[in-house]
């Protein structure tokens, strides 16, 4: 089969190579799928650079989530059947950026019928992350104000829709007018262009000086530092990631004085510690997709030959919504 392989570490455009590789064979509790769609995610960028917490042995194929059609079942897999459409995480080194991929049965789920292949492929990581962050960690309540950073990106776009579905007033922070329009399409009540506006000032104006009850931060660094200036009394800052490149150090005396919580979210840990909650979340997201309250925004589809370029543009911060390889 053809697949994008990373043989050395560096920028995606420099290290991803489209190669002929052996077809994967399922091990115990694994399945092989024909890839129908696989979105670019920031972990794919970080793995190419060797900066992600998971460091696959070289060479490997990236593409950490996907939608696929089951073609082979390994020993012990009885929850799925050949021909079934599924979504979930890839089992590296056979990631989603190829014609076939390997998946672990424990992190594979039926694809929601209401979503296309591209949309379904984009549901697993971003929406599971958002659901666990907002509901399990921040316990968001109807009527609260949610501030979402990087609101036009993969995880940010999911947080907007999930926040609206939870009954929150959603403020999206983006970089540039094109991304601002995407955030509006996703349903944000207010959109702030950080290139031309000070989000701290605008959030205080929108909330009458109170600040945001929940702040969803996949950026970190200076974005986190400034978020502490517009967090509400008893607010919760959700630490989702560090796409800005700097892992900040929290001033704990400040959280004490202002009475806010700094809440971490390592979604992948739920798969190991509480997988039953991941299944519960998938069922809830499937229900929400069926009723139309969530729908991944696929802004661009890629052919197999275009994957490396799409991943690099995600790395450069020039993409909006979900950029998805579709077979």
């Amino acid at each position: 089969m053809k697949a994008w392989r990373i043989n050395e570490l560096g920028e995606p455009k420099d290290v991803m190579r489209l190669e002929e590789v052996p077809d994967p064979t399922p091990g115990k509790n694994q399945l092989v799928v024909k890839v129908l769609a696989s979105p670019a995610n920031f972990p794919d960028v970080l793995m190419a650079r060797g900066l992600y917490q998971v460091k696959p042995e070289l060479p490997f194929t990236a593409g950490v989530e996907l939608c696929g059609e089951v073609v082979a079942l390994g020993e012990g897999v009885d929850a799925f059947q050949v021909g079934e459409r599924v979504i979930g995480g890839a089992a590296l080194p056979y990631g989603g950026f190829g014609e076939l991929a390997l998946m672990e049965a424990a992190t594979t789920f039926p694809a929601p019928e209401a979503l296309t292949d591209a949309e379904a492929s984009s549901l697993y990581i971003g929406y599971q992350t958002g659901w666990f962050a907002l509901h399990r960690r921040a316990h968001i309540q109807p009527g609260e104000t949610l501030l979402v950073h990087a609101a036009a990106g993969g995880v940010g776009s999911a947080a907007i829709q999930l926040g609206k579905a939870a009954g929150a007033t959603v403020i999206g922070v983006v970089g540039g007018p094109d991304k601002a329009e995407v955030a509006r399409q996703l349903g944000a009540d207010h959109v702030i262009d950080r290139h031309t506006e000070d989000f701290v000032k605008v959030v205080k104006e929108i909330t009458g000086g109170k600040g945001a009850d929940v702040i969803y931060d996949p950026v970190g660094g200076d974005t986190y530092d400034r978020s502490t200036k517009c967090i509400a009394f008893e607010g919760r800052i959700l630490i989702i990631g560090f796409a800005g490149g700097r892992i900040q150090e929290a001033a704990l005396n400040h959280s004490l004085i202002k009475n806010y919580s700094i809440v971490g979210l390592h979604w992948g840990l739920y798969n190991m510690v509480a997988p039953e909650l991941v299944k519960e979340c998938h069922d809830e997201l499937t229900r929400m997709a069926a009723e139309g309250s969530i729908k991944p925004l696929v802004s661009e589809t890629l052919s197999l030959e275009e994957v490396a370029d799409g991943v690099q543009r995600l790395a450069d911060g020039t993409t909006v919504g979900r950029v998805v390889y579709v077979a």
Side-chain angles (χ1 to χ4, degrees), residues 280-295:
E280 176 185 313
C281 175
H282 175 75
D283 292 343
E284 176 66 8
L285 294 176
T286 298
R287 182 193 65 77
M288 295 173 74
E291 72 180 18
S293 59
I294 61 170
K295 184 178 183 180

Side-chain angles (χ1 to χ4, degrees), residues 23-76:
D23 291 358
T25 301
K28 186 176 182 180
N29 298 321
Q30 292 184 327
L31 50 159
V32 175
V33 299
K34 174 187 176 183
V35 177
L36 301 175
S38 182
N41 280 277
F42 208 70
D44 298 315
V45 174
L46 294 178
M47 278 193 285
R49 294 171 175 169
L51 300 177
Y52 195 53
Q53 57 259 39
V54 177
K55 293 179 169 56
E57 184 177 340
L58 296 171
F60 67 92
T61 296
V64 293
E65 68 177 328
L66 67 145
C67 175
E69 179 184 319
V70 178
V71 296
L73 302 172
E75 179 188 349

Side-chain angles (χ1 to χ4, degrees), residues 155-199:
V155 293
S157 60
I160 289 178
Q161 292 185 344
L162 290 165
K164 289 299 296 178
T169 297
V170 179
I171 305 171
V173 180
V174 300
D178 290 344
K179 293 184 178 183
E181 181 55 35
V182 167
R184 292 188 187 95
Q185 290 178 19
L186 288 162
D189 298 287
H190 307 276
V191 180
I192 302 169
D193 184 348
R194 60 181 175 81
H195 290 168
T196 59
E197 300 173 282
D198 176 359
F199 76 80

Side-chain angles (χ1 to χ4, degrees), residues 62-139:
V64 293
E65 68 177 328
L66 67 145
C67 175
E69 179 184 319
V70 178
V71 296
L73 302 172
E75 179 188 349
V77 179
D78 54 15
F80 302 99
Q81 56 187 2
V82 172
E84 186 173 356
R85 194 175 73 127
V86 297
I87 66 169
L92 302 184
Y94 285 98
F97 297 151
E99 294 175 324
L100 297 173
L102 199 61
M103 302 177 76
E104 299 286 351
T107 54
T108 301
F109 302 91
E113 294 181 3
L115 301 179
T116 66
D117 293 341
E119 292 165 348
S121 74
S122 306
L123 186 74
Y124 181 59
I125 292 177
Y127 282 81
Q128 285 255 355
T129 296
W131 190 90
F132 274 96
L134 295 176
H135 292 285
R136 295 285 307 184
R137 304 297 286 134
H139 301 288

